Amino acid sequence: PTKSYKQFALHKGKENNIMTNGYAKPGYGGVVVDNRKRNGAMGGLFTLAVVGVSGYLIWKYALASPTDLAEAQDGLANFTDKIGEKWDDLGMPDLDNFTDVLDGLSDDLFAELYGGDPMLGDNTTVNWDDQHVKPDDGGLHLTLQNALDDTWQTEFETAVADWQESDALQLTTERVAVDYNCNRVDGVMVVCNANFGDTGWVGINENAILGDVVVSSVAKMNEYYLRNADFDHRRFTMCHEIGHGMHSSSIYYTDNPSTNLLPGDVNMAKLREMYLTRRLTRVEEDGTVVQTTELIKR
């Protein structure tokens, strides 16, 4: 069958940030983290003042003005309970509650969710940090931390095997504790599942970018749509989001996953260009900088 490809755009902020990859309904945006340093004496004094005032307010109002350690512990326990109640009042998703999910995922809804990206056509790519890239020794060397529960192990193993067919990838997997909070870890890709609710995306990938390179990645499977989905929908989403974590750019799209389960030649060529390319730089006598790009033959 003919493979169907659709270009996917990045939702990204400026400078150091987190790039969010995922198909969603129009209007869905990414997460931006500003890491710019604040320097100067005034900034330091202001910070100390804020810390002092904040500490007093917490002591007086959150902990009920404790006079000893025991009272402080009781106050902290009550404060934590109140935070939990407020969290529930805000309607935040219960990430490990899989009873509040769709009964199934139709092909039509799957196609709608994957087809709503408002920035199609952006081919921007961002490589992983150089410490993970060895053009003369297999390309990108990356560890995938498997923080998924038992229901996702087959899809994960299948997707990793599909991507490992690339001669530009050297993937290592590591089973870790199930993490429904999907916390990122520097230097690796975390793959996880949780019930994120009716977000408009079945899967999403968040790449942390520092100095124009990827330093960590998190691929999230949304159980609200996928818990009771068929295997092809789950496998396609897993493969798709892991792929975003390796080249942080447009990736194949389909509204019929059963006939388009593999990454395909387009993605393999993209990875080869990114991670099997040697760049040599020389300076001419007149000061001109010349860069030569050579694709490693394998």
Side-chain angles (χ1 to χ4, degrees), residues 73-252:
Q73 290 174 334
D74 291 340
L76 180 60
N78 292 332
F79 182 54
T80 302
D81 290 341
K82 290 179 180 179
I83 291 177
E85 293 172 0
K86 290 295 184 182
W87 182 266
D88 292 337
D89 291 342
L90 290 174
M92 296 302 177
D94 188 358
L95 297 178
D96 59 354
N97 175 19
F98 302 131
T99 60
D100 182 22
V101 297
L102 296 183
D103 291 334
L105 181 61
S106 68
D107 288 340
D108 289 342
L109 178 56
F110 184 83
E112 176 187 345
L113 292 168
Y114 266 88
D117 177 59
M119 300 175 64
L120 299 177
D122 188 341
N123 255 335
T124 305
T125 58
V126 183
N127 290 29
W128 272 81
D129 188 284
D130 285 347
Q131 65 178 307
H132 300 284
V133 182
K134 303 175 183 178
D136 296 311
D137 185 25
L140 175 63
H141 292 245
L142 185 63
T143 295
L144 279 64
Q145 286 194 351
N146 175 0
L148 300 152
D149 65 28
D150 289 340
T151 66
W152 279 96
Q153 296 309 308
T154 300
E155 292 87 340
F156 175 76
E157 292 170 3
T158 302
V160 171
D162 290 340
W163 281 110
Q164 188 64 83
E165 290 297 314
S166 168
D167 57 2
L169 297 176
Q170 302 298 317
L171 305 179
T172 302
T173 61
E174 176 186 0
R175 186 81 184 266
V176 297
V178 174
D179 181 13
Y180 294 125
N181 291 311
C182 295
N183 294 301
R184 78 176 190 89
V185 178
D186 285 342
V188 304
M189 183 194 303
V190 174
V191 185
C192 54
N193 65 297
N195 180 9
F196 297 101
D198 187 11
T199 58
W201 50 265
V202 294
I204 202 167
N205 181 280
E206 294 176 346
N207 286 332
I209 309 297
L210 182 63
D212 296 326
V213 295
V214 179
V215 295
S216 70
S217 180
V218 182
K220 301 178 180 180
M221 310 300 119
N222 189 352
E223 295 283 29
Y224 180 81
Y225 302 102
L226 295 173
R227 192 67 174 185
N228 296 313
D230 63 39
F231 180 78
D232 285 348
H233 288 134
R234 289 162 60 91
R235 175 183 172 181
F236 179 92
T237 305
M238 176 69 71
C239 187
H240 188 102
E241 301 310 334
I242 288 178
H244 273 309
M246 289 181 293
H247 60 53
S248 191
S249 69
S250 304
I251 195 174
Y252 68 103

Side-chain angles (χ1 to χ4, degrees), residues 31-53:
V31 180
V32 178
V33 177
D34 187 353
N35 291 323
R36 291 174 295 181
K37 295 181 179 178
R38 273 72 171 174
N39 296 317
M42 292 302 295
L45 291 174
F46 178 74
T47 301
L48 290 175
V50 170
V51 170
V53 172

